[in-house]
Amino acid sequence: MLSGLKVKNILFILLGAAIMSFGLVNFNMQNKLAEGGFTGIALLFYFLFKWDPSYSNLFLNIPLFFIGWKLLGRNTFLYTIIGTVGVSIFLWIFQRYAIEMPLESDLTLAALFAGVLTGIGLGVIFRYGGTTGGVDIIARLVQKYAGWNMGKTMFLFDACVIALSLVTYLNYKQAMYTLVAVFIGARVIDFILEGAYSARGAMIISEKNEQIAATIMEEMDRGVTALRGYGSYTKSEREVLYCVVAKNEIVRLKNVITSVDPHAFVSITIVHDVHGEGFTLDENKMPLTD
C-alpha cells in the first residue's frame, strides 16, 4: 500500500505533525487560544465538553478520507492520512507529557509561540506533499462543485470556526490573540513554502517534453503551453514548456516532472496575478467567482 511513498517525506510529515501538536497542546490549549480548521473544531470541543482533541480530530477527518481518495490522488491521500493520524497521535502524547508554560499574563508570547509552531508544522507537512485533511479536502470539493477558489473557502471556514469559538468560550482578548496566532501561522507557512502568492509559473526544458506535458495534464488537470525557444549556446531551436499551478501544487508539479525526467531543467517563478481557466474561469470559460 505504501509503495511509491518516500521515507523522507513520511518522516518530515510526522515531524511537522509533532511540531504542530506541541504548539497546540502547550500554547493554544494551555492559554485558551482557538485555531482555524478542523483542529480548531477539536479545540472547541475540548474547551466546551472536555473531549480529547486527539480523538475528535481523527473522528472529524475519517468521513473526509473516503472523499479525499479521488480528489487528492493516491500519494497525496496517503500522505494526508499519515499527517492527520500523526497529529492525533502527537496530540495524545503531548497532553500526557505536557510542559507547563503558564503564559496567561503574557498572551503576546503565547500567540507568537502558537502561531510560529503551528505554521512551521503545517508548512513542513505541506512542503513534503501532505495535508492534515479537513478543510483542504472540503476546499477542493467546493472548488470542484461550486467554483470557489480554495483560499477563499479555507479563509471562510477558519473565520467561522474562530467566530464560533468567540461566542462560546473565548473572551475578546483571547479572540484577538487567536487572530494574531493564525496570522503569524499563515505567514510562517508561506515562508516555508517559499513565497506568499497564490500561483507559481514553471518553465520546463527537457528531452521528454511531450511526456511531461501529458503527465501534468492527466495527473494534475493543469494546462501546459509549448513555447519555441532558441539556445544561444547550442544555436538550436527547442520547445520550452510553461505551466501555472496553485502555490500548494508546486511540490506535486516538481514530483511529476522528476518522475518523467529527473534531469529536466525547471525554473519556478512567482505569479503575482493569474486569470483564466483553472484559476478564474472554469472549463466553459465562465467566471469561477464574482
Side-chain angles (χ1 to χ4, degrees), residues 273-285:
D273 201 2
V274 57
H275 297 269
E277 186 174 339
F279 292 92
T280 59
L281 301 176
D282 62 19
E283 64 272 14
N284 298 315
K285 308 299 181 184

Side-chain angles (χ1 to χ4, degrees), residues 81-205:
I81 290 181
I82 293 169
T84 305
V85 174
V87 168
S88 288
I89 290 173
F90 285 114
L91 281 172
W92 188 91
I93 292 172
F94 289 133
Q95 283 182 92
R96 283 145 186 83
Y97 301 96
I99 301 173
E100 291 298 324
M101 298 182 186
L103 292 173
E104 292 89 346
S105 60
D106 193 348
L107 285 179
T108 302
L109 273 180
L112 288 173
F113 277 118
V116 168
L117 290 173
T118 301
I120 291 175
L122 281 174
V124 171
I125 290 172
F126 292 157
R127 185 173 178 81
Y128 287 90
T131 74
T132 54
V135 184
D136 185 73
I137 297 175
I138 292 175
R140 290 171 190 262
L141 272 175
V142 174
Q143 182 186 48
K144 182 175 181 180
Y145 294 106
W148 286 22
N149 63 60
M150 291 182 61
K152 182 178 180 180
T153 303
M154 295 175 77
F155 173 78
L156 288 176
F157 192 96
D158 288 349
C160 289
V161 172
I162 293 172
L164 188 59
S165 301
L166 176 60
V167 300
T168 52
Y169 73 90
L170 289 181
N171 58 40
Y172 75 92
K173 189 176 181 181
Q174 293 165 333
M176 182 54 65
Y177 281 110
T178 291
L179 293 176
V180 171
V182 170
F183 177 80
I184 292 172
R187 296 304 95 197
V188 173
I189 291 172
D190 287 335
F191 177 78
I192 292 176
L193 295 179
E194 298 181 346
Y197 298 95
S198 60
R200 297 291 184 270
M203 303 286 287
I204 308 160
I205 301 175

